[in-house]
Amino acid sequence: MRSARSRTRSLSLLLAAALAAPLLPAPPATAHAGGDPAPYLVGRGLSDVTGEIAEVGMMGYSSFEQKATGLHQRQRSRAFVIVDRATGRRVVYVSADLAMIFDAVRQKVIERLRQRYGSLYGEQNVLLSATHTHAGPGGHSHHLAYNLASLGFQKDTFGAIVDGIVESVAEAHDDLKPGTVSLGRGELADASVNRSRTAFERNPARDRAAFPGAIDPAMTVLRFKQGGADVGAISWFATHNTSLTNANTLVSGDNKGYAAYRWEHDHEGVRYLDDAPGFVAAFPNTNAGDMSPNLNLRPGSGPTEDEFANTRIIGERQFARAKEIYDRAATPVTGGVDARMRFVDMEDVAVDGKYTPDGKPGRTCTAMVGASTIAGSTEDGPAIPGFREGMTGPIGALLASLDVQPSASLLACQAPKANLVPTGLITDPVPVTPRILPLQIMRIGQLYLVAGPAEFTIVSGLRIRRTVAEELGVPLENVLLQGYANAYSQYVTTPEEYRLQQYEGGSTLYGPNTLPAYQQEFAKLAAALRDGAPVEAGQAPPDLSGRQFTLQTGVVLDSAPPSTSFGQVLVQPAASYRRGERVEAEFVTGHPKNDLHRNGTFLEVQRLVDGRWERHLDDGDWATRFRWTRLNALTGTSKATVTWDVAPDTPVGTYRVVHFGDRRNLFGGVTPFTGVSRAFTVS
């Protein structure tokens, strides 16, 4: 599925207009008009959201030292559009291989969808979620806290993410056909571990009893069909997407990205550079705030001591279990689709005692990051590696702007949190953390997705689910907490967990009543959804796009080393390889920022078939890696190293490695080039 932008939209727009309808109370979930065997229109789409892959800070670990140097697997956006044929009402669900969905991205995606489709898709019925990979480029937020490690806003990465998400939705829209959705459930017990067990144990016995192993093993799978053909799956499971550590500098979708690749590419035969629609398998997160994939509770450890092997193994376990559940998903999804969304000022919520542990009314607080945040999660990685006292220059000036003393009342509100940065008090040069957040509940038949803009621990997720299920009058299992959705505001812990002030509690921005506030506000949305009543959207967060800056230098000039030319092979592959060995080739190249090759590739492994070279692998494949190295910063020379781990089932034959690059001249012009290695055999 290459680029959705290249397709004609006129017919799809006519269809959209015909299907558009105002929001009306949905029919009961237990029946559908006329018992239609295909009660929905379903569509799936996929596109590339990979941003800059070199000389940009990576997003997730907040490490100044973790700068991208290449690509292992591309990041992708997976979209599903579901239309209730009885009412014309529709919803859009997106899962993207990103660390977070920032409000900046949500604002731009909604704007672009409105430009294309009018009122058909908007803030109410579009849910954007991230898988929470920590191996992607950063700089796509409008808030300072989340752009620090990337040295500010990176417009090309931001543009790639927005373009890819919009393209995936457009592709799903164009793909709409009569279909069905079915639901399956199961458990997966060997792909997560509780990284904050001592805080978990502070919760009441009733909450702990819901998770006997201190993990949330639940996996929920939706199976999508168009007619009799299987076209897609969404598999929700709670685990941090952090098998790759902060020592990794290759862009990747991490374990959930591998799970999707395993299903789409290996099992269903999807080839991402082809235009033909294929199977789309999304692996979103839920309440994964305290769930780690590092089973030995050390970064990059468990089940092996190799971070790439762990990525594959944890991803494989998610895929295998999801496929089992998918194959026996026998519960039809029935009833309407609907959604409610409103903006909430999370720094100023008066919380009813109904939702607080002690039964007393409370309030949320101005955002503040606690001192425990600086230590990070020792199980997955330090919070701010490279952060040092006495840092100078522009970075030092930025950090100095964070040195603000909170008032006594703020410290009392946030107690027992020890202050690190009172982020809600700092608005210059840009706000540090968000204040106004989108809260949303989406209905897909009998399944309800509670879309929260944060990382929720398993017990905080459980309490929200209980609150929403009670308000809706539905079974608890039919309510999922969709974390990392629509915006990002760090963690949400229970008040009991908060008191311990471990990493997650220190990163719960709005104080000990953060979770009760979410329960209260989601209860209001659930009541409106149940009653078919509209909700006021509330005051939207401001557009901060005009206040962004970057300290990251751009590409000035690319040069080839003396006596070489662009695309020239510096290190040729060997003459022959056996299965299980690694092929390596090096090329003279330009900077990968010159052209992101989105929906394209920086490399191909080609095979000679009947006298013609055919693409065997590209840079989105698990077996290949593309690494960029700066040779001389003054002269602008660099090299590209392409590796291929030859799989055990690789066909014997003749192969070569091809590199696609781009060079920039002093006047800013960019020229593509191609490098081709000598042929070699695999036997």
Side-chain angles (χ1 to χ4, degrees):
M1 293 179 228
R2 198 155 190 169
S3 173
R5 292 178 298 177
S6 62
R7 301 179 184 167
T8 303
R9 302 291 184 201
S10 56
L11 290 177
S12 62
L13 288 172
L14 289 172
L15 175 63
L19 291 172
L23 289 177
L24 300 169
T30 55
H32 209 283
D36 191 340
Y40 304 110
L41 298 177
V42 298
R44 83 293 201 198
L46 184 151
S47 194
D48 188 349
V49 291
T50 311
E52 297 151 291
I53 65 167
E55 288 192 330
V56 64
M58 300 180 79
M59 183 64 226
Y61 291 114
S62 299
S63 169
F64 290 95
E65 298 167 354
Q66 189 190 21
K67 292 190 178 296
T69 63
L71 180 64
H72 185 212
Q73 285 197 295
R74 287 192 171 265
Q75 299 171 275
R76 306 190 190 278
S77 174
R78 297 170 172 88
F80 294 84
V81 176
I82 307 161
V83 182
D84 179 3
R85 297 176 73 188
T87 65
R89 190 179 299 141
R90 64 185 57 209
V91 293
V92 177
Y93 178 84
V94 172
S95 175
D97 292 329
L98 300 170
M100 301 91 172
I101 293 291
F102 292 114
D103 192 64
V105 169
R106 183 196 60 81
Q107 287 176 338
K108 197 65 176 178
V109 167
I110 296 300
E111 175 188 314
R112 292 270 300 276
L113 290 176
R114 282 176 174 161
Q115 290 171 355
R116 187 181 296 235
Y117 299 109
S119 61
L120 197 61
Y121 301 119
E123 290 169 335
Q124 289 289 330
N125 67 342
V126 175
L127 192 164
L128 307 180
S129 71
T131 62
H132 202 43
T133 175
H134 285 38
H140 43 102
S141 174
H142 282 167
H143 289 93
L144 180 61
Y146 315 124
N147 284 349
L148 273 175
S150 59
L151 304 183
F153 182 72
Q154 307 302 321
K155 64 179 181 63
D156 288 344
T157 291
F158 177 82
I161 290 169
V162 170
D163 287 348
I165 292 175
V166 171
E167 289 166 9
S168 69
V169 174
E171 191 167 82
H173 174 90
D174 287 352
D175 185 54
L176 285 168
K177 296 180 181 66
T180 59
V181 186
S182 54
L183 174 65
R185 295 186 177 92
E187 293 190 348
L188 176 62
D190 59 355
S192 63
V193 64
N194 197 312
R195 72 183 195 187
S196 193
R197 186 68 178 260
T198 55
F200 170 82
E201 296 293 346
R202 294 293 184 96
N203 291 301
R206 176 174 179 248
D207 292 338
R208 300 197 310 273
F211 305 109
I215 65 170
D216 184 353
M219 180 174 278
T220 303
V221 178
L222 289 184
R223 179 174 184 170
F224 293 86
K225 286 190 172 186
Q226 292 176 337
D230 286 308
V231 297
I234 307 175
S235 306
W236 284 274
F237 176 72
T239 193
H240 249 70
N241 205 8
T242 52
S243 294
L244 293 171
T245 71
N246 62 19
N248 166 62
T249 56
L250 297 182
V251 169
S252 168
D254 211 293
N255 59 65
K256 287 184 176 287
Y258 177 80
Y261 171 85
R262 183 78 173 85
W263 198 336
E264 292 165 350
H265 180 278
D266 293 353
H267 191 272
E268 295 291 339
V270 172
R271 295 300 177 261
Y272 298 106
L273 299 186
D274 295 340
D275 271 333
F279 193 90
V280 174
F283 281 83
N285 240 313
T286 58
N287 35 233
D290 48 357
M291 297 291 96
S292 172
N294 298 312
L295 303 183
N296 295 334
L297 293 175
R298 298 191 309 276
S301 180
T304 77
E305 297 302 318
D306 182 309
E307 61 182 312
F308 285 95
N310 293 339
T311 300
R312 178 183 55 79
I313 293 168
I314 298 297
E316 176 68 30
R317 289 175 180 176
Q318 290 178 76
F319 157 66
R321 189 69 181 111
K323 185 62 168 61
E324 290 174 359
I325 297 169
Y326 175 92
D327 286 341
R328 57 178 176 77
T331 302
V333 171
T334 59
V337 300
D338 206 349
R340 295 292 186 276
M341 190 283 302
R342 68 184 296 263
F343 296 108
V344 176
D345 182 348
M346 286 301 295
E347 293 189 346
D348 188 25
V349 179
V351 183
D352 191 287
K354 175 182 178 181
Y355 301 100
T356 61
D358 61 7
K360 298 178 181 179
R363 296 196 72 88
T364 56
C365 316
T366 299
M368 187 170 84
V369 173
S372 59
T373 302
I374 199 75
S377 164
T378 57
E379 299 81 10
D380 288 338
I384 312 181
F387 179 91
R388 303 180 300 278
E389 286 190 281
M391 294 180 80
T392 60
I395 298 176
L398 277 179
L399 295 177
S401 71
L402 305 180
D403 187 15
V404 174
Q405 293 303 310
S407 65
S409 61
L410 177 54
L411 290 173
C413 184
Q414 290 272 359
K417 183 187 291 181
N419 172 60
L420 177 66
V421 181
T423 56
L425 299 178
I426 305 168
T427 58
D428 187 55
V430 293
V432 178
T433 52
R435 174 171 181 159
I436 299 173
L437 294 172
L439 276 60
Q440 183 185 41
I441 301 179
M442 177 172 287
R443 177 190 180 193
I444 304 173
Q446 67 267 43
L447 184 66
Y448 294 84
L449 303 177
V450 183
E455 308 188 44
F456 296 79
T457 62
I458 57 174
V459 176
S460 63
L462 173 66
R463 291 189 189 174
I464 290 173
R465 292 173 56 226
R466 283 173 175 162
T467 296
V468 171
E470 180 181 353
E471 199 69 45
L472 291 170
V474 301
L476 180 64
E477 66 178 4
N478 284 352
V479 179
L480 291 183
L481 191 287
Q482 172 64 77
Y484 313 96
N486 296 324
Y488 183 72
S489 59
Q490 293 172 232
Y491 282 78
V492 177
T493 54
T494 67
E496 296 88 346
E497 293 166 343
Y498 182 89
R499 292 190 197 109
L500 197 59
Q501 280 299 292
Q502 290 203 309
Y503 169 66
E504 294 82 4
S507 300
T508 296
L509 291 182
Y510 310 109
N513 288 313
T514 299
L515 173 61
Y518 272 113
Q519 290 177 262
Q520 173 179 283
E521 298 307 309
F522 277 125
K524 295 176 183 177
L525 286 177
L529 190 60
R530 178 198 63 215
D531 298 339
V535 295
E536 291 292 331
Q539 178 64 48
D543 180 356
L544 301 173
S545 57
R547 298 175 60 183
Q548 300 307 304
F549 65 91
T550 182
L551 303 177
Q552 178 67 56
T553 57
V555 182
V556 178
L557 171 70
D558 291 301
S559 299
S563 302
T564 67
S565 58
F566 287 101
Q568 182 174 327
V569 182
L570 296 174
V571 176
Q572 291 281 5
S576 64
Y577 294 88
R578 293 183 179 275
R579 292 166 173 163
E581 294 183 330
R582 173 170 288 186
V583 177
E584 184 169 312
E586 293 184 358
F587 300 85
V588 177
T589 195
H591 205 297
K593 285 185 176 181
N594 293 330
D595 188 324
L596 304 185
H597 288 240
R598 202 174 57 80
N599 287 312
T601 183
F602 287 103
L603 69 90
E604 285 185 0
V605 175
Q606 296 181 346
R607 180 184 174 212
L608 189 63
V609 179
D610 297 331
R612 297 179 58 185
W613 290 104
E614 296 183 355
R615 183 176 66 244
H616 179 66
L617 298 171
D618 56 66
D619 68 11
D621 284 294
W622 176 260
T624 63
R625 299 184 193 184
F626 175 83
R627 191 176 295 276
W628 178 85
T629 305
R630 172 66 76 194
L631 298 176
N632 188 311
L634 292 177
T635 60
T637 56
S638 58
K639 69 175 182 179
T641 303
V642 176
T643 61
W644 169 34
D645 294 326
V646 183
D649 60 351
T650 300
V652 298
T654 301
Y655 293 83
R656 68 181 186 182
V657 176
V658 179
H659 166 48
F660 303 102
D662 305 270
R663 61 183 178 89
R664 183 181 296 271
N665 63 33
L666 271 175
F667 302 102
V670 175
T671 304
F673 61 84
T674 302
V676 182
S677 79
R678 71 181 180 185
F680 55 91
T681 60
V682 170
S683 61

